[in-house]
Amino acid sequence: MEKLGSRAPRSVLVTAAVAMVVVVGTLVAVVALRPRADQAEEPASPGPGPTISGAVDPTVCGSSPCQAIATQEVNGEKVTLLASADSTVARLDVGAPPSSATVDLTITEQGVKLSQDSLRCLGGTVAACLVRGPVTGGQVGEVVANRGSSWEIASQAYLSDANYIGLADVAGTEAPEVTVVRHDCPTTAQDTPKCAAAPVVAEVFDLGGRSIGCTKRKYTSPSQMRGYPTIRLSTSDLGSCG
């Protein structure tokens, strides 16, 4: 999939260590996540996601029984979001739980609270599920994808300071993309009232975390974007990320 812009992604791939900073009540992490225009960083290639081994009881989340938070069907398979009562441990179970296709999630280590609205799945040639939830200063999401033989975490976590991370087939390739809405403000203005009041743009990423482009238009809020509350963009809406 060809990028529309040559500029490195500005806002969204976050490691667990960085996102923990967000949880303790600061948006300084957002600044660190947006490379400057003169940086030519390439997104890190995602490694295989963690899976449950036979030695681990898939019905137990941490020290308590797993609770079913949400379920969806994708490509004829049932996907269940399981979590402990306090949302500190969570996993996706594909098939009739407990199944052998189980993936541990990492965003709960960042303080994300899960709900029935946390799970969004899309089928296709490559099926994928997005798990998202609120943290202090925005929303964090994580994508698990099935590339034919197994389900695994597709990339590092995404951060939206405008509280929207979605999953949609933007490019029409039968593989979903991740849509992340963020405030359009300079890195130096992050964590300021001026930035919080700035217009927003949506940036679209493939499942590997590579930026496809940003919306050409700027919006007052995510609710102005087509299809909200499930934003639906096309490649004609996208240009380079300014």
Side-chain angles (χ1 to χ4, degrees):
M1 190 179 298
E2 185 178 5
K3 296 183 184 179
L4 297 180
S6 60
R7 189 174 180 274
R10 292 185 59 200
S11 66
V12 297
L13 291 181
V14 297
T15 62
V18 172
M20 281 298 293
V21 180
V22 179
V23 177
V24 298
T26 175
L27 285 177
V28 176
V30 182
V31 179
L33 299 175
R34 299 186 178 182
R36 299 187 306 275
D38 59 353
Q39 290 178 319
E41 296 181 0
E42 290 294 329
S45 300
T51 57
I52 297 296
S53 69
V56 177
D57 186 348
T59 66
V60 176
C61 292
S63 59
S64 62
C66 294
Q67 299 181 3
I69 304 298
T71 61
Q72 289 201 357
E73 186 171 303
V74 56
N75 287 357
E77 292 187 290
K78 182 180 180 181
V79 178
T80 305
L81 174 60
L82 302 170
S84 57
D86 58 2
S87 289
T88 57
V89 177
R91 57 178 62 111
L92 280 187
D93 194 285
V94 183
S99 73
S100 58
T102 309
V103 181
D104 277 331
L105 301 173
T106 66
I107 58 172
T108 53
E109 300 170 3
Q110 303 164 25
V112 172
K113 297 302 180 185
L114 302 174
S115 69
Q116 291 181 341
D117 296 327
S118 291
L119 180 63
R120 163 85 169 151
C121 296
L122 283 180
T125 304
V126 178
C129 292
L130 167 69
V131 180
R132 61 193 174 185
V135 295
T136 301
Q139 187 178 92
V140 171
E142 187 168 36
V143 176
V144 176
N146 180 3
R147 301 186 182 278
S149 59
S150 64
W151 288 81
E152 60 185 37
I153 293 176
S155 67
Q156 299 179 67
Y158 297 88
L159 170 66
S160 166
D161 64 358
N163 296 300
Y164 185 89
I165 304 173
L167 196 65
D169 185 3
V170 176
T173 59
E174 292 297 315
E177 284 82 32
V178 184
T179 300
V180 181
V181 181
R182 56 173 170 78
H183 286 96
D184 185 46
C185 50
T187 299
T188 54
Q190 295 301 312
D191 197 21
T192 66
K194 183 177 180 180
C195 183
V200 297
V201 296
E203 187 165 6
V204 178
F205 298 82
D206 67 18
L207 291 180
R210 290 168 287 273
S211 178
I212 297 173
C214 294
T215 50
K216 301 171 187 176
R217 285 185 54 192
K218 298 178 183 179
Y219 301 82
T220 302
S221 69
S223 62
Q224 291 188 319
M225 297 182 185
R226 185 172 61 251
Y228 185 87
T230 302
I231 295 173
R232 300 187 183 281
L233 302 174
S234 66
T235 51
S236 63
D237 297 314
L238 305 179
S240 61
C241 294

